[in-house]
Amino acid sequence: MLSLSCRDLYTFEIMQSQVKIKSPIVQLDIIRGIAILAVFLFHIYGATFGLDSLPFLGNFRDYSKAPNLAFFVFWPYQFGDLGVVLFFVLSGFCIHLSFLRYVSSLEKQGLNFSFKTYMKDFFIRRLFRIYPVYLLALLFFSFAYAPTRVDLGTSIGAFQFFSHLFLVHNFSKLSFFGINPAFWSIAVEVQLYCIYPLFLILRENLKITKATLLVFIFQLSYAQLNWDLDRQINEIVKNLHIPLLERLQIFTQLPLTFWPTWIVGACLAEKIFFENKKLLNLCLKHKLFLLLLYLISSQYKTFYIIGYYSIILLLVSCIEDYIFDRNYLSLPENIVATIGLCSYSIYLFHQPLLNWFADFPFAAFPSEFLNPYFMCTLGAVLIFIPVFMISWLSYKYLEIPTHSIGKKIAQNLSLKELKT
């Protein structure tokens, strides 16, 4: 137990407010803005053409399924789903950087780090950061928004709502894209928070490099096993004749599948924090090679895992280059940074609203005017503006206040334990 003076307690409180709330790198908001814009364009693409990528025929894409020429003109939009991967990398980076700053500030004050105290602090802050606005979006789309409304009087409606309420909806194909398709990654994000303590234990015992390598090796072996485990579970459930449980995907959707993406971001944070250096520092030809591997994997199914790791490394390399090499920010970058500030609310609200704005406000336009070229250019801008305004209000009047409440609760709890 620690015995602290009043001055120590005051200093620790100030330290707590600085370590986890303020981002030390301005460019992070710009990267978040880029990520959410990419996701938005990806969903515009899917809503416009009825599909966001060509299906596979064997190991290769079936180009005969393309709806029209415009589908190929706006083909880069389909890679907007990488915005979600980028969010996972950024999450690992920010969460772990926050931890490193927390420990460093304790050391400067001559205080011992308590794993138990930090975990309480961490989960309280994350709960108030993630859940309140998510709950608002869930209630709105479940009960107020007609196209996605659920009926709790039916078994499927209750299953949809309560699986989303407890953030386990990604474990079944019935609820994975239910209510709001974008919600699936919020469940994964929270589940990644739950296994973060395990990573900290691995890091403490193996150091960051070996811990990361172990996670990557585990994921490679686990990726071969999880599909078979889910298949066996589904065979068992079918014999029980419980329809709601017949499409489970527990092992394939465990956060372990997405762990390497998150952990690489944590590695980058550690490299920058302790050495102020880039993690990868790739030259242009290496970046182009990784991009080529990813593009090949997007068209050739057998190369999927190679493309998956390639794009993670490429995104990390681009992030570190932007952090280190970009000092002066232009006006467009500042605009994107503003979008990045409320990227979480945009992510939660944009997809169902996108479909509504696409159908209703443009109803007055002649049908021939609402062609794919319009929808993927000017139409996308016109739809994004009201989505951004709604999201900004959510960010200002819900995200910021609830985040502040969580910070205060976590601080008071930590100070009370330290006093003890």
Side-chain angles (χ1 to χ4, degrees), residues 327-346:
N327 296 317
Y328 173 75
L329 301 182
S330 63
L331 178 60
E333 285 173 306
N334 283 307
I335 294 174
V336 174
T338 303
I339 295 173
L341 282 173
C342 54
S343 58
Y344 181 49
S345 285
I346 295 175

Side-chain angles (χ1 to χ4, degrees), residues 261-316:
T261 312
W262 208 83
I263 294 303
V264 170
C267 272
L268 177 60
E270 190 133 337
K271 187 73 172 181
I272 291 176
F273 184 83
F274 286 113
E275 302 179 34
N276 197 32
K277 292 181 180 178
K278 297 179 181 179
L279 177 65
L280 301 176
N281 198 23
L282 300 178
C283 63
L284 179 59
K285 65 179 181 181
H286 290 151
K287 292 177 184 176
L288 291 176
F289 178 69
L290 291 174
L291 178 61
L292 178 63
L293 288 178
Y294 172 70
L295 291 176
I296 292 174
S297 73
S298 70
Q299 305 302 309
Y300 183 52
K301 197 173 184 179
T302 306
F303 273 20
Y304 167 77
I305 195 65
I306 297 175
Y308 172 72
Y309 287 129
S310 297
I311 200 60
I312 293 175
L313 295 176
L314 180 59
L315 289 175
V316 170

Side-chain angles (χ1 to χ4, degrees), residues 55-117:
F56 280 99
L57 181 61
N59 284 326
F60 295 92
R61 296 284 184 183
D62 184 3
Y63 284 85
S64 67
K65 300 298 183 181
N68 49 47
L69 178 61
F71 184 85
F72 293 109
V73 172
F74 297 100
W75 178 73
Y77 282 22
Q78 68 178 277
F79 298 109
D81 63 340
L82 292 179
V84 176
V85 180
L86 186 53
F87 275 126
F88 282 144
V89 174
L90 284 176
S91 176
F93 177 88
C94 293
I95 294 298
H96 195 59
L97 183 62
S98 172
F99 165 76
L100 296 173
R101 288 167 58 85
Y102 177 96
V103 175
S104 176
S105 296
L106 285 179
E107 291 174 350
K108 290 178 181 178
Q109 300 302 318
L111 305 176
N112 292 327
F113 171 76
S114 168
F115 187 78
K116 181 180 178 181
T117 300

Side-chain angles (χ1 to χ4, degrees), residues 7 45 49 59 64 90 101 127 160 188 215 292 370 415:
R7 179 181 178 183
Y45 188 72
F49 298 103
N59 284 326
S64 67
L90 284 176
R101 288 167 58 85
L127 174 66
Q160 287 284 358
V188 173
V215 170
L292 178 63
L370 297 181
L415 290 173

